[in-house]
């Protein structure tokens, strides 16, 4: 859907380095130095100038203590207008916290504001913001309670949760209006999670001097407007949020700010008993109904089966390979509920012989566990959805998506835990079940969306039209509706196994189905942990070609099928014409199913199977593309 955005500053335009006032944040306007006391933001000169590009601790490669280019451009865009409201949408891992604190420091130094309030989705993020702000001498109280009424004079402000605001907006209205206040709304889309939250935000912060809204995923499926976000109709008349500055995953990847992500896809045979007592079987990834796909998916995630242990073993092998180049690399398993999380942790402990950190809720001890894991070198962290948004664990390099959550909002937040780059060449590997909706989300990782207030009737019943749901957000905060993997207690997972399916990377597919533990699987699990993005693609192509050669060598000669014999018996020009038509029919079917342009499908087939354009492709090359599409379609 087209989005309405204010013109973004030119990507290649050089931006002057910011000059920061040497003034304590609590200074009054009268104490602000004149222009002669301003100086370039150089390392070691002033806390604001020393802000690293990302928190905590380990800054990404190539950024030093200087701001990243997008952060400088966003600051330039802000100070060109100095608006009361400003919305920044930046991909997870880009450094929104650093940008916001740099802006806050500058507004405090200029005397534009006297206080800073940060609103975040969770208690862990409140503490994370307070710790980050402390490094630049902005003192935020993350333990403020509504009953306290007022902050002490020694605080510059408070770090609050959206729930706190919704419970007693009057308290925060008084605090906001008692001084010139900058309000930073982190992951602002949460402002629409509950009616009381949105109403509370409007009441509490209507009188704020400045409001900065941040989001890595600024979209919702409902039509509740997000407070303090501006909307305008697009070319189709759909009211869409206006982003003042946008920094997407594609540009961040080109800048080396985020890591490239390899999706390791696993299929397998599933066997289960339905609530009606009927035993059923299906294979992950095969074309079937939504209900059967969902039940096969639940069966795969059941700890007592063979699918999840096999995938955990593969993920741990991948982590071992990554740690050869990145010694402190860690892994994260995102589970659906507490029971599954504990079972996964036990399996990992038995596999590695090492302690596994388990995070089950957004409580202080869980926050402490996350911080301890982030600062340490342990291999694995298992969490129940809680490590899904805004939580900084920069050393996470390998992930297992072992949850049945399938909304684009949650998926983007989850993958955002793995993309935070620290040094050149790091990549991330995320293990996925072969579930169509997840594969489509993986392919659309680079897609940027804005929040639409109106329904687009053209979307119809497209399951991808929903960008999040209230039930998932509620589960993410309170873990309600996550007591069981199943829809009801009578569902029973009976058996499952796993098979390596393929690797998704940068819009392409690499490799073919192989047994777990086979040389073909190990070729892909053994990719070096430090590679440039282009090196990743080249090596994937090499491993795929190696797998093809091994398969051809190992496969005994077999008699041609009747269809193959018929093709062989007709003249080449007729054979090629028939194959091209067959390929075109399959491309049309896949295009209709995935809403992907024909040209994009043909380009991806060439990357996956090799060979020139259709007009110059040999019969063997055309047949390889036909077989790949048949496999996807499930025929």
């Amino acid at each position: 859907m087209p989005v309405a955005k204010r013109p973004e500053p030119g990507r290649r335009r050089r931006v002057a380095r910011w000059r920061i006032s040497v003034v304590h944040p609590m200074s009054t306007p009268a104490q602000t130095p004149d222009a002669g006391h301003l100086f370039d933001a150089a390392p070691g000169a002033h806390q604001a100038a020393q802000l690293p590009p990302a928190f905590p601790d380990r800054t990404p490669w190539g950024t030093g203590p200087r701001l990243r280019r997008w952060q400088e451009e966003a600051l330039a865009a802000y100070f060109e207008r100095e608006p009361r409201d400003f919305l920044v949408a930046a991909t997870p891992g880009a450094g929104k916290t650093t940008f916001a604190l740099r802006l806050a420091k500058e507004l405090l130094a200029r005397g534009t504001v006297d206080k800073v309030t940060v609103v975040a989705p969770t208690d862990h993020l409140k503490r994370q913001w307070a710790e980050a702000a402390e490094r630049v001498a902005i003192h935020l109280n993350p333990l403020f309670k509504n009953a306290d009424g007022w902050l002490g004079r020694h605080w510059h402000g408070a770090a609050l949760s959206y729930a706190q605001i919704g419970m007693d907006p009057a308290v925060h209205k008084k605090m906001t209006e008692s001084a010139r206040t900058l309000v930073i709304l982190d992951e602002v889309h949460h402002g629409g999670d509950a009616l009381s939250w949105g109403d509370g935000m409007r009441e509490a912060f209507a009188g704020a001097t400045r409001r900065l809204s941040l989001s890595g995923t600024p979209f919702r499926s409902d039509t509740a407007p997000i407070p303090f976000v501006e909307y305008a109709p697009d070319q189709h008349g759909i009211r869409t949020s206006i982003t003042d500055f946008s920094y997407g995953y594609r540009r961040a990847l080109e800048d080396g700010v985020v890591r490239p992500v390899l999706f390791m896809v696993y299929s397998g045979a599933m066997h289960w008993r339905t609530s009606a007592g009927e035993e059923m079987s299906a294979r992950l990834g095969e074309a079937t109904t939504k209900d059967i796909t969902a039940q096969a998916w639940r069966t795969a995630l059941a700890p007592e089966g063979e699918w999840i242990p096999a995938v955990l073993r593969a993920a741990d092998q991948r982590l071992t390979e990554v740690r050869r180049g990145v010694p402190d690399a860690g892994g994260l398993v995102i589970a659906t509920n507490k029971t599954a999380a504990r079972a996964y942790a036990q399996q990992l402990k038995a596999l590695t012989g090492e302690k596994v950190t388990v995070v089950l809720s957004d409580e202080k001890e869980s926050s402490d566990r996350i911080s301890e894991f982030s600062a340490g070198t342990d291999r694995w962290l298992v969490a129940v959805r809680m490590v899904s948004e805004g939580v900084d664990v920069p050393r996470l390099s390998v992930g297992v998506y072992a949850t049945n959550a399938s909304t684009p909002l949650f998926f983007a937040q989850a993958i955002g835990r793995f993309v935070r780059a620290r040094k050149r060449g790091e990549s991330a590997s995320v293990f996925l079940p072969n579930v169509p909706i997840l594969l489509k989300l993986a392919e659309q990782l680079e897609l940027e969306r804005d929040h639409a207030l109106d329904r687009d009737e053209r979307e119809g019943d497209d399951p991808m039209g929903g960008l999040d749901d209230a039930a998932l957000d509620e589960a993410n905060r309170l873990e309600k509706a996550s007591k069981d993997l199943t829809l009801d207690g009578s569902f029973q997972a009976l058996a499952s196994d796993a098979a390596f399916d393929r690797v998704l990377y940068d819009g392409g597919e690499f490799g073919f189905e192989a047994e777990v533990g086979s040389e073909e699987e190990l070729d892909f699990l053994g990719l070096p942990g430090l590679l440039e993005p282009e090196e990743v693609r080249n090596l994937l192509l090499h491993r795929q070609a190696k797998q093809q050669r091994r398969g051809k060598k190992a496969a005994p000669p077999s008699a041609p099928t009747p269809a193959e014999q018929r093709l062989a018996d007709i003249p080449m020009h007729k054979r090629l014409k028939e194959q091209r038509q067959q390929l075109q029919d399959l491309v049309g079917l896949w295009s209709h199913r995935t809403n992907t342009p024909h040209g994009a499908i043909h380009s991806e087939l060439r990357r996956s199977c090799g060979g020139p354009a259709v007009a110059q492709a040999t019969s063997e090359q055309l047949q390889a593309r036909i077989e790949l599409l048949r496999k996807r379609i499930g025929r």
Side-chain angles (χ1 to χ4, degrees):
M1 177 187 300
V3 297
K5 295 184 180 179
R6 294 193 177 96
E8 180 177 335
R11 285 186 49 184
R12 301 298 178 189
R13 180 167 65 87
R14 295 182 60 85
V15 181
R17 296 173 66 193
W18 282 96
R19 298 165 64 85
I20 307 299
S21 306
V22 187
V23 57
H24 191 278
M26 293 299 290
S27 300
T28 63
Q31 295 170 308
T32 303
D34 59 24
H37 289 79
L38 298 178
F39 61 96
D40 283 338
H46 185 266
Q47 293 101 327
Q50 294 173 349
L51 270 170
F55 290 104
D57 297 330
R58 303 162 187 166
T59 60
W61 168 87
T63 53
R66 299 180 181 178
L67 289 180
R68 292 169 175 160
R69 182 172 59 185
W70 84 263
Q71 294 165 333
E72 291 185 340
E73 291 180 4
L75 283 170
Y78 182 88
F79 284 109
E80 282 175 3
R81 298 186 295 115
E82 294 204 43
R84 187 179 189 188
D85 288 292
F86 196 75
L87 172 60
V88 173
T91 189
K96 293 185 291 295
T97 302
T98 297
F99 163 74
L101 292 176
R102 183 63 174 266
L103 178 60
K105 195 75 175 178
E106 178 69 3
L107 292 175
L108 287 166
R110 293 183 178 196
T112 304
V113 300
D114 306 309
K115 295 283 186 180
V116 177
T117 296
V118 174
V119 188
T122 67
D123 288 341
H124 178 82
L125 288 177
K126 285 165 49 179
R127 289 187 285 273
Q128 190 168 285
W129 269 98
E131 291 168 5
E134 196 68 30
R135 301 180 188 203
V136 292
I138 297 178
H139 308 303
L140 300 180
N141 182 3
L143 304 177
F144 177 84
K145 298 181 177 60
N146 290 347
D148 297 341
W150 294 96
L151 284 166
R153 293 180 58 85
H154 50 290
W155 295 107
H156 296 129
L160 310 167
S161 70
Y162 287 99
Q164 273 183 276
I165 305 301
M167 286 188 289
D168 196 346
V171 168
H172 304 287
K173 174 181 172 67
K174 291 179 182 178
M175 289 175 54
T176 300
E177 296 178 354
S178 67
R180 292 171 299 179
T181 302
L182 165 67
V183 177
I184 300 173
L185 300 167
D186 186 26
E187 303 298 349
V188 69
H189 51 271
H190 283 285
D193 281 358
L195 181 61
S196 61
W197 290 18
D199 291 343
M201 286 170 60
R202 291 184 182 89
E203 179 181 348
F205 304 131
T209 303
R210 297 287 172 90
R211 291 180 292 257
L212 172 65
S213 297
L214 305 172
S215 186
T217 48
F219 45 78
R220 298 183 58 81
S221 62
D222 56 36
T223 56
I226 301 170
F228 312 121
V229 171
E230 185 179 351
Y231 294 84
D234 64 10
Q235 63 189 56
H236 301 293
I238 306 299
R239 290 174 296 166
T240 308
S241 60
I242 297 178
T243 303
D244 295 285
F245 190 91
S246 180
Y247 186 68
Y249 175 79
R250 167 53 63 181
R251 184 182 167 193
L253 188 61
E254 293 173 353
D255 291 345
V257 170
V258 296
R259 300 168 178 157
V261 180
L262 295 90
F263 291 99
M264 306 288 187
V265 182
Y266 279 72
S267 59
M270 307 295 140
H271 186 52
W272 68 92
R273 182 179 293 113
T274 68
S275 57
E278 180 183 2
E279 291 193 12
M280 299 188 66
S281 297
R283 190 168 186 82
L284 281 180
E286 69 180 11
T288 185
T289 66
K290 293 179 183 178
D291 287 343
I292 292 177
T293 296
Q295 292 173 49
W297 185 0
R298 293 198 299 275
T299 303
L301 299 183
E304 59 271 18
E306 292 299 322
W307 190 90
I308 194 70
V311 171
L312 292 178
R313 284 195 299 271
D316 190 65
Q317 285 180 290
R318 178 68 188 139
L319 181 59
T320 295
E321 187 61 43
V322 171
R323 285 169 76 101
R324 298 183 195 279
V326 188
D328 69 337
L332 166 65
V333 180
I334 303 177
T336 300
N337 59 57
K338 295 179 180 181
T339 302
R342 293 191 181 102
Y344 298 161
Q346 290 175 356
Q347 292 174 357
L348 284 169
K349 184 177 180 180
L351 178 66
T352 64
E354 299 182 13
K355 178 186 72 172
V356 176
T357 301
V358 180
V359 177
L360 299 178
S361 60
D362 184 37
E363 300 170 351
K364 186 180 187 305
E365 56 268 26
S366 297
S367 181
D368 292 341
R369 290 192 198 106
I370 295 172
S371 299
E372 181 182 350
F373 180 86
S374 180
T377 59
D378 290 346
R379 292 176 71 89
W380 283 102
L381 169 69
V382 180
V384 181
R385 291 178 169 169
M386 297 305 142
V387 187
S388 63
E389 184 177 51
V391 174
D392 280 313
V393 186
R395 66 187 188 90
L396 287 176
S397 299
V398 176
V400 179
Y401 195 88
T403 173
N404 55 6
S406 60
T407 65
L409 178 62
F410 181 85
F411 187 86
Q413 292 166 356
I415 303 306
R417 301 317 99 213
F418 304 97
V419 302
R420 299 169 187 268
R422 296 182 299 170
K423 64 179 179 180
R424 191 76 180 187
E426 286 188 338
S427 62
S429 303
V430 178
F431 288 71
L432 294 178
N434 188 352
V435 177
I437 190 171
L438 294 185
L439 302 193
K440 186 166 186 178
L441 290 173
E443 292 170 357
Q444 296 179 340
L445 182 62
E446 301 167 11
L447 184 64
E448 296 179 32
R449 292 187 175 97
D450 286 274
H451 180 211
L453 286 183
D454 304 301
R455 299 293 185 191
D456 190 343
E457 298 301 328
R458 297 168 299 165
E459 293 180 359
D461 296 327
D462 181 4
M464 296 297 295
L467 295 174
D468 70 345
D469 54 63
L472 174 61
D473 291 335
E474 186 70 4
N476 201 25
R477 291 194 306 274
L478 304 176
E479 294 183 36
K480 291 182 179 178
S482 63
K483 296 179 181 178
D484 202 322
L485 277 172
T486 65
L487 295 177
D488 57 57
S490 57
F491 176 95
Q492 183 181 2
L494 299 177
S496 64
D497 61 38
F500 171 79
D501 192 88
R502 61 191 184 275
V503 176
L504 303 181
Y505 175 71
D506 194 27
E509 297 186 0
F510 303 87
F512 309 101
E513 185 169 303
E515 293 183 5
V516 170
S518 65
E519 291 185 40
E520 288 82 0
E521 181 200 30
L522 295 177
D523 278 344
F524 291 97
L525 295 181
L527 292 170
L530 287 173
L531 286 173
E532 295 290 333
E534 190 58 35
E535 293 175 333
V536 173
R537 169 172 286 278
N538 291 338
L539 194 51
L540 285 170
L541 287 170
H542 177 266
R543 298 289 167 88
Q544 178 175 266
K546 182 180 177 182
Q547 184 184 12
Q548 285 177 313
R549 290 193 299 270
R550 187 185 292 122
K552 290 178 181 178
K553 182 177 180 181
S558 58
T561 65
E564 290 171 338
Q565 185 62 51
R566 184 181 61 80
L567 279 175
D569 291 340
I570 63 177
M572 180 180 290
H573 70 278
K574 291 185 177 180
R575 181 166 70 247
L576 288 173
K577 180 180 179 181
E578 187 168 332
Q579 286 178 304
R580 290 169 186 163
Q581 184 60 53
Q582 189 176 12
L583 177 62
Q584 191 60 36
D585 291 344
L586 290 169
V587 167
L589 179 59
W590 190 245
S591 173
H592 178 73
R593 179 174 295 184
T594 64
N595 197 28
T596 304
H598 286 216
I601 297 174
H602 280 294
S603 297
E604 191 275 320
L605 288 173
R606 288 182 61 187
R607 289 196 298 269
S608 299
C609 301
V614 170
Q616 290 79 39
T618 66
S619 177
E620 291 77 12
Q621 291 166 338
L622 291 173
Q623 193 62 33
R625 300 175 197 182
I626 289 170
E627 294 302 326
L628 179 56
L629 275 182
R630 281 176 173 168
K631 176 184 174 183
R632 293 183 188 173
I633 295 170
R635 291 176 53 182

